[in-house]
Amino acid sequence: MIVAEKKPMEEIIEEVKRFENILVLGCNECVTVCEAGGKKEVGVLASALRMFFLKQGRKMRIDERTLERQCDPEYLEEIRDVADGYDAVVSLACGVGVQFTAEHYPNLPVYPGVDTCFMGVTEARGMWTERCQGCGRCILASTGGICPVARCAKRLFNGPCGGSSDGKCEIGKDTVCAWQLIIDRLRALGRMEEYERIAPIKDWSTDRAGGPRKIVREDLAP
Amino acid sequence: MHLMQFRKKLEEGSFVVLAEMEPPKGVDTTVMTGHAVKVKGKVDAFLVPEMSNAVMRMSALGGAMVLQSKGMETIVQVCCRDRNRIALQADLLAAYACGITSVMAVTGQEPSYGDHHQARSVYDIDLLELLTAVSTLRNGRDMAGVELLGAPDFLMGASVNAGAPGISPEVEADDMKKKIDAGARFFITPPLFSVETIAPVLKRIDRSAVHIIPTVLLLKSLGMARYMARNVAHIHVPDALAERLETAPDRVRECVKIAKETISTFRAEGFSGVLLSTMGWEHKIAEVLEGV
């Protein structure tokens, strides 16, 4: 999932204080799972904003709505009939949803209510960690299913650097060395010969190096 | 030894003549230095590009140091594409310590343009941030705020996209203003063949605050003129030039003549100087500059 974190209230207030009618718009997908921008968080943020502006003696209309997804046109259409009634939207979707909402409603200012962080997993209750950087050319087959692009601080492809110590990364004791994980797993799988192979130099053209990316599936196009 | 002819002439208001000098793809610098030495004294400084078009070659800093070591002044390009803020600052300190007093900041073209299209670009900081970083170094501190042992007194310039189609002169002028505020004191334009292309932008900026140095590109053939007119969006090649080349008895000589005339026009129009770009025809620099 795409993992996001709630933005500080002060930052959101600073963006929306000039408006009268605001829609706080949540997303039922990833940001709901990571508890940053689902229906529950929409309610909490909208209430907090109402209280803040009420204390200031401001009469503001702050409505709540949560869409199934903000990254699909069909769900964004669901607010078509009410969009004109708002001066601004605070979207609690990831950066994708914020942008797609803005694209669909060109005259409506859309502000982000979360900081989009990474693609990751729920490692434990209240803890999410990164697993994938979407580099566009998956090498997990040769690294025991553990990604050095996303999980090694230096994105190394041929084993750990000199900073690996006791299975931890040099950036901090809380960070596991991805290559320690890879080696442990390859050994457990009896595939250590794969570790001996020198990885080919990475082609980053499928990553962001080649500019904004696009996939076109002609078999699916209408 | 710090060479400062370029800065001195700009400050005096004299017309400066710069020539572009690409470092080699390889370690043999004899051709580059040979071309440069031939026009030593006729060129105020050599602008050394940092892997233009994302084609890997000797770094601008390396090429510039080779030229400086032979007593020729250089303006070294610093580029956001290949280095992060740590490397950029480190190279800037090295450049100044080696006698280079002028730098030109550029964004750099995407690796997909060049010959290493699988490369990952850096873009840790953008052009405006790089200009600010140079200003910070000038003031004796690095980007982390740590004091330097000796500050580099750079004269700093930047590229400007003036005259590019699809960008309004207002936006371009605003962009130049931001760069001036960040410390840019000279601008080098893309190749210009007439003043008209850049005039709408120039009207909107304070010319006394900054030096504008147009690039004069030496055309090499009628084909090149036509190709650029059709395919290079940010360079305007007037139709009249292609027609002129078409009817010229000696096209190469005509190309040189056009470059000479363009330089004279820019001088007459009060520009601070010109950058002559010969794109592989560095042996023609002397001929173009003769008598202008």
Side-chain angles (χ1 to χ4, degrees):
Chain A
M1 85 185 113
I2 295 175
V3 181
E5 256 188 319
K6 287 186 226 174
K7 266 193 183 291
M9 260 286 282
E10 305 74 50
E11 206 179 307
I12 298 172
I13 289 168
E14 199 50 40
E15 298 294 356
V16 302
K17 63 183 182 192
R18 72 195 105 149
F19 302 110
E20 305 281 322
N21 303 299
I22 297 162
L23 176 63
V24 181
L25 190 64
C27 178
N28 247 337
E29 295 284 350
C30 317
V31 287
T32 297
V33 182
C34 65
E35 302 188 31
K39 195 172 177 185
K40 191 176 80 190
E41 291 75 32
V42 166
V44 172
L45 176 63
S47 304
L49 288 173
R50 276 183 213 116
M51 275 199 288
F52 176 84
F53 289 116
L54 203 64
K55 264 194 193 164
Q56 290 203 326
R58 298 249 333 252
K59 262 196 194 165
M60 302 210 0
R61 179 178 146 219
I62 298 168
D63 290 348
E64 303 170 23
R65 186 87 178 254
T66 298
L67 301 179
E68 192 54 34
R69 279 197 287 280
Q70 291 186 33
C71 53
D72 257 329
E74 59 178 295
Y75 299 111
L76 282 175
E77 282 307 310
E78 288 174 7
I79 55 163
R80 179 71 62 194
D81 54 336
V82 294
D84 282 348
Y86 297 104
D87 309 323
V89 169
V90 177
S91 165
L92 297 197
C94 67
V96 177
V98 176
Q99 292 182 66
F100 215 38
T101 305
E103 278 173 56
H104 272 75
Y105 298 95
N107 299 320
L108 190 59
V110 182
Y111 294 94
V114 301
D115 288 315
T116 306
C117 302
F118 51 78
M119 281 188 272
V121 296
T122 311
E123 200 168 298
R125 176 93 188 112
M127 178 164 81
W128 295 272
T129 50
E130 184 165 20
R131 287 296 182 276
C132 179
Q133 291 204 341
C135 73
R137 197 153 294 179
C138 194
I139 55 154
L140 287 170
S142 58
T143 56
I146 294 155
C147 180
V149 178
R151 304 187 65 186
C152 167
K154 299 176 182 171
R155 296 189 188 94
L156 303 180
F157 289 89
N158 289 289
C161 67
S164 178
S165 167
D166 288 333
K168 303 291 182 200
C169 173
E170 70 180 16
I171 63 167
K173 288 200 169 71
D174 296 337
T175 307
V176 181
C177 167
W179 274 101
Q180 185 70 55
L181 295 178
I182 294 171
I183 291 167
D184 290 348
R185 185 154 164 88
L186 288 175
R187 188 172 286 136
L189 295 172
R191 283 165 41 192
M192 271 307 276
E193 74 280 0
E194 289 177 32
Y195 177 63
E196 303 301 326
R197 267 181 235 143
I198 303 286
I201 295 174
K202 174 82 172 159
D203 175 0
W204 289 107
S205 63
T206 54
D207 187 75
R208 280 284 289 115
R213 292 167 286 176
K214 178 157 92 175
I215 294 172
V216 181
R217 283 270 306 271
E218 279 168 12
D219 57 323
L220 296 177
Chain B
M1 187 181 62
H2 288 100
L3 301 172
M4 303 178 81
Q5 161 107 331
F6 170 54
R7 180 188 297 199
K8 212 170 129 246
K9 282 185 88 170
L10 278 186
E11 280 167 4
E12 284 169 7
S14 312
F15 191 74
V16 298
V17 176
L18 310 176
E20 200 170 72
M21 197 54 74
E22 286 260 23
K25 191 179 184 92
V27 294
D28 184 350
T29 55
T30 50
V31 176
M32 174 184 74
T33 46
H35 289 315
V37 165
K38 253 202 266 174
V39 289
K40 193 177 172 182
K42 290 183 182 137
V43 166
D44 296 307
F46 293 98
L47 177 77
V48 188
E50 178 68 320
M51 292 177 273
S52 46
N53 299 314
V55 173
M56 193 291 297
R57 48 178 65 242
M58 183 184 290
S59 69
L61 177 57
M65 279 165 61
V66 171
L67 296 175
Q68 294 261 148
S69 71
K70 298 189 184 313
M72 289 175 283
E73 185 170 342
T74 59
I75 303 164
V76 70
Q77 268 191 0
V78 275
C79 169
C80 305
R81 181 192 55 229
D82 310 314
R83 290 175 174 80
N84 68 8
R85 68 190 76 181
I86 300 174
L88 285 167
Q89 294 178 95
D91 282 353
L92 283 161
L93 297 183
Y96 195 81
C98 292
I100 296 162
T101 55
S102 306
V103 292
M104 175 190 179
V106 297
T107 304
Q109 269 185 307
E110 267 294 315
S112 54
Y113 278 91
D115 60 355
H116 285 62
H117 58 264
Q118 297 187 347
R120 186 185 177 111
S121 50
V122 178
Y123 296 117
D124 175 32
I125 54 174
D126 71 13
L127 182 53
L128 217 54
E129 291 164 329
L130 175 54
L131 291 170
T132 311
V134 178
S135 297
T136 308
L137 294 177
R138 277 176 52 106
N139 291 330
R141 292 194 181 269
D142 70 9
M143 287 175 80
V146 180
E147 207 174 326
L148 303 173
L149 183 64
D153 181 23
F154 282 122
L155 175 68
M156 177 167 58
S159 52
V160 63
N161 210 12
I167 299 176
S168 73
E170 288 83 7
V171 170
E172 199 51 63
D174 186 49
D175 182 60
M176 286 174 87
K177 208 186 152 298
K178 277 191 210 158
K179 289 172 183 164
I180 295 167
D181 290 345
R185 291 295 166 263
F186 66 91
F187 285 109
I188 298 187
T189 75
L192 294 180
F193 292 94
S194 70
V195 181
E196 286 76 56
T197 327
I198 196 178
V201 178
L202 294 185
K203 267 198 302 199
R204 290 172 170 82
I205 60 159
D206 176 10
R207 291 284 293 275
S208 66
V210 72
H211 298 281
I212 311 283
I213 301 173
T215 295
V216 173
L217 177 69
L218 174 65
L219 291 169
K220 298 193 229 172
S221 65
L222 175 60
M224 179 183 176
R226 283 194 176 137
Y227 178 85
M228 293 187 83
R230 277 189 211 128
N231 300 305
V232 187
H234 64 284
I235 301 176
H236 173 67
V237 185
D239 293 338
L241 274 191
E243 284 160 24
R244 189 173 151 188
L245 282 179
E246 206 170 355
T247 53
D250 182 340
R251 283 181 185 157
V252 172
R253 185 175 287 178
E254 200 65 16
C255 286
V256 171
K257 221 171 135 198
I258 288 170
K260 278 174 177 289
E261 287 170 15
T262 314
I263 294 172
S264 303
T265 306
F266 290 139
R267 188 198 280 263
E269 291 285 341
F271 284 92
S272 301
V274 287
L275 167 70
L276 178 60
S277 169
T278 45
M279 292 177 72
W281 274 15
E282 282 68 50
H283 59 284
K284 292 275 181 196
I285 296 175
E287 197 182 331
V288 174
L289 294 181
E290 205 184 315
V292 297

